[in-house]
């Protein structure tokens, strides 16, 4: 096999050889053209051409619009992928498959956050917190405090954000009807604040606590997103092995087809010729 593999590999164009190596990274057995394109960071049409070239040379197996690497080929090419490129490719694939987190429950504040107008968002969230405190609903106050802190993290006002966030996880847990999901959100934002403060060990601790809550009360995709946060902290520690492991765990954890993005509004959930 090795002699045949080496002959076929030497004949590949650089882009095809690169994609072949990247196809060895995901934990799933199969991959579609859209996911392959995300993995390599190329347009889907180009990914289809490269996959066709790899299939023609017997290096990739095709079944309809799904492609897989034979185990012996996977073993050969995985070692040819550099660590930095592997991490970048896995992150692109996760961007393709994971739904971005929402910015909170306030439509106006969420829209501002989506446009990254963080200072304006903080003003909106402060007004929301003031209204919640006037109304006196303990749960609404905690949620508003978290959303204000989240906006402050994005503006770089880390000390104030951490002051607001510090007691929140236990306060959500102490409610008459404990709010586990918002406790996990608060821990996540606290981790993000410490990560921005260049304290990745503390950030990892908070992300780990959030993950444990989400394992009981969250969805697989929420758990997968938490592994991405853990990978971010590992990256800041320059722990490449831990970063890669967390990214692969994110792909394994998200549920369903690990390389298929969730249905979105206006998009069919069926896999068509252009799907992943």
């Amino acid at each position: 096999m090795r002699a045949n593999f080496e002959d076929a590999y030497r004949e590949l164009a650089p882009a095809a050889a690169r994609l072949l190596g990247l196809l060895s990274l995901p934990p799933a057995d199969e991959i579609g053209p859209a996911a392959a394109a995300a993995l390599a960071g190329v347009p889907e049409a180009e990914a289809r051409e490269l996959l066709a070239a790899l299939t023609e040379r017997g290096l990739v197996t095709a079944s309809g619009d799904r492609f897989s690497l034979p185990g012996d080929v996977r073993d050969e090419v995985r070692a040819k992928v550099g660590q930095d490129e592997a991490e970048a490719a896995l992150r692109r694939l996760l961007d393709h498959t994971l739904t971005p987190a929402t910015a909170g429950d306030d439509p106006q504040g969420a829209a501002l956050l989506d446009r990254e107008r963080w200072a304006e968002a903080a003003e909106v969230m402060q007004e929301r917190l003031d209204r919640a405190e006037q109304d006196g609903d303990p749960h609404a106050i905690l949620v508003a405090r978290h959303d204000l802190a989240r906006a402050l993290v994005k503006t770089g006002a880390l000390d104030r954000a951490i002051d607001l966030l510090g007691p929140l996880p236990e306060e959500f847990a102490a409610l008459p009807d404990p709010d586990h999901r918002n406790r996990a959100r608060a821990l996540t934002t606290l981790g993000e604040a410490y990560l921005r403060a260049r304290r990745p060990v503390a950030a990892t601790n908070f992300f780990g606590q959030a993950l444990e809550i989400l394992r009981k009360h969250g969805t697989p995709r929420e758990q997968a997103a938490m592994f991405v946060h853990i990978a971010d902290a590992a990256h800041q520690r320059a722990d490449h092995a831990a970063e890669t492991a967390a990214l692969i765990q994110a792909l394994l954890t998200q549920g369903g087809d690990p390389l298929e993005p969730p249905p979105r509004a206006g998009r069919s959930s069926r896999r068509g010729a252009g799907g992943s």
Side-chain angles (χ1 to χ4, degrees), residues 8 15 54 69 77 130 133 138 153 195 260:
L54 293 171
L69 284 184
V77 298
D130 293 342
E133 289 176 339
V153 170
L195 200 58
E260 181 77 9

Side-chain angles (χ1 to χ4, degrees), residues 59-126:
L59 295 169
V60 166
T61 301
S63 177
D65 215 29
R66 305 293 283 180
F67 300 83
S68 61
L69 284 184
D72 44 8
V73 173
R74 181 182 294 271
D75 294 341
E76 290 283 352
V77 298
R78 177 61 185 88
K80 299 179 183 294
V81 183
Q83 187 68 47
D84 289 343
E85 184 169 31
E87 291 163 1
L90 288 169
R91 286 182 180 275
R92 287 193 298 267
L93 184 57
L94 283 162
D95 286 343
H96 168 72
T97 59
L98 288 176
T99 304
T102 58
D105 299 324
D106 182 272
Q108 183 183 3
L112 291 171
L113 288 172
D114 287 342
R115 295 197 301 272
E116 296 189 348
R117 293 166 57 183
W118 302 111
E120 291 183 48
E123 293 178 5
V124 172
M125 296 303 184
Q126 180 64 66

Side-chain angles (χ1 to χ4, degrees), residues 5 9 12-26 31-55 59-60 67-70 73-74 76-78 80-82 85-86 89-90 92-93 259:
F5 166 79
Y9 189 81
L12 292 175
R18 173 175 176 267
L19 177 60
L20 182 65
L22 296 179
L23 291 175
S24 71
L25 300 175
I31 191 169
L39 192 66
V42 300
E44 184 175 339
E46 180 178 343
R48 286 180 176 275
E49 293 177 359
L50 297 173
L51 287 166
L54 293 171
T55 302
L59 295 169
V60 166
F67 300 83
S68 61
L69 284 184
V73 173
R74 181 182 294 271
E76 290 283 352
V77 298
R78 177 61 185 88
K80 299 179 183 294
V81 183
E85 184 169 31
L90 288 169
R92 287 193 298 267
L93 184 57
L259 303 184

